[in-house]
Amino acid sequence: MGSALESAWQYLTDNFSEFQLASFGSFILHESVFFLSGVPYLLMETWGLTKYKIQPKMNTPAAQEKCILKLLLYHVCVNLPLMVVSYPAFKYMGFTSKLPLPSWYATPFGLTSEYAHPAEILFLGFATICGPAITGPHLLTLWLWMSVRVLETVEAHCGYDFPWSLSRLLPIYGGADFHDYHHRLLYTKSGNYASTFTYMDWLFGTDKGYKKLKALKNGSQNCDEIADDKLH
């Protein structure tokens, strides 16, 4: 596996410049991971699968098409230029794409997740690459980090809460159910600003509305169960 990966990496570095790989290669990777990971959730909405959906509302095909077209526009006009202009900063901090590849122990760690105003995309994109830029990573490490972040943000905005969701296994992880509350009350003081770890919302009390809603839902479910038991 290691030698196959190194051979593939050697092919990339032999045929493309480091600048091309770091900018355009990173952009292609981002688009591939983002849209491919979002397709299953898009199909579930298209097919009307509601079993694990957090909100009953389904997006129309027209709304989905509008979202995808705007995403492509914003990604090309904001994300790609950001990746291009950030390359000198990465190089200054020691960024490299040369072999050998970093060891695995040394490597750190719904499509609407990036449907935002271009200014927000620019700010969040800068925040995402700022940390790796400071460390001067290998290109492979940067690509792995980027993939993890994209997968995380797509999952947090997918609109579905599955029994195998990470938030059910890791209490401090927000996930889709936690972050969905933030978008449900988008134009009010919604809270639940975290899409990954929830401790900051707990610390500043911005998760109180969400906790009250969960308590009401749990109370309603318990009442329904008691009523069903009495009927039987």
Side-chain angles (χ1 to χ4, degrees), residues 45 73 81 90 97 140 155 169 178 208 217:
E45 279 217 359
L73 175 65
F90 273 83
S97 62
L140 179 61
E155 191 275 336
L169 304 174
F178 183 85
K208 290 181 179 178
K217 281 187 174 181

Side-chain angles (χ1 to χ4, degrees), residues 125-195:
F126 176 79
T128 299
I129 66 171
C130 186
I134 293 174
T135 64
H138 192 279
L139 178 60
L140 179 61
T141 305
L142 176 65
W143 282 0
L144 288 172
W145 164 245
M146 183 185 301
S147 299
V148 170
R149 288 291 295 128
V150 170
L151 291 172
E152 180 274 325
T153 194
V154 169
E155 191 275 336
H157 293 83
C158 72
Y160 286 85
D161 185 31
F162 300 106
W164 55 85
S165 294
L166 184 58
S167 56
R168 295 178 179 270
L169 304 174
L170 190 63
I172 63 170
Y173 183 82
D177 183 58
F178 183 85
H179 196 63
D180 182 83
Y181 180 81
H182 169 74
H183 291 281
R184 186 180 303 185
L185 304 175
L186 185 60
Y187 299 106
T188 64
K189 296 179 179 178
S190 59
N192 283 28
Y193 299 104
S195 61

Side-chain angles (χ1 to χ4, degrees), residues 82-95 126 129-130 132-137:
L82 179 63
M83 293 177 182
V84 170
V85 301
S86 63
Y87 175 71
F90 273 83
K91 281 302 293 180
Y92 178 79
M93 297 304 296
F95 172 84
F126 176 79
I129 66 171
C130 186
I134 293 174
T135 64

Side-chain angles (χ1 to χ4, degrees), residues 42-110:
L42 191 67
L43 292 177
M44 283 189 282
E45 279 217 359
T46 302
W47 296 335
L49 301 179
T50 60
K51 183 174 181 181
Y52 298 112
K53 198 157 190 321
I54 299 169
Q55 295 188 49
K57 178 185 174 183
M58 289 288 189
N59 292 301
T60 64
Q64 293 174 342
E65 182 181 353
K66 178 183 176 182
C67 173
I68 293 172
L69 291 176
K70 282 200 172 184
L71 280 170
L72 288 171
L73 175 65
Y74 294 160
H75 285 184
V76 171
C77 296
V78 180
N79 288 9
L80 179 57
L82 179 63
M83 293 177 182
V84 170
V85 301
S86 63
Y87 175 71
F90 273 83
K91 281 302 293 180
Y92 178 79
M93 297 304 296
F95 172 84
T96 183
S97 62
K98 297 177 181 178
L99 290 172
L101 296 176
S103 97
W104 291 106
Y105 291 109
T107 303
F109 25 112

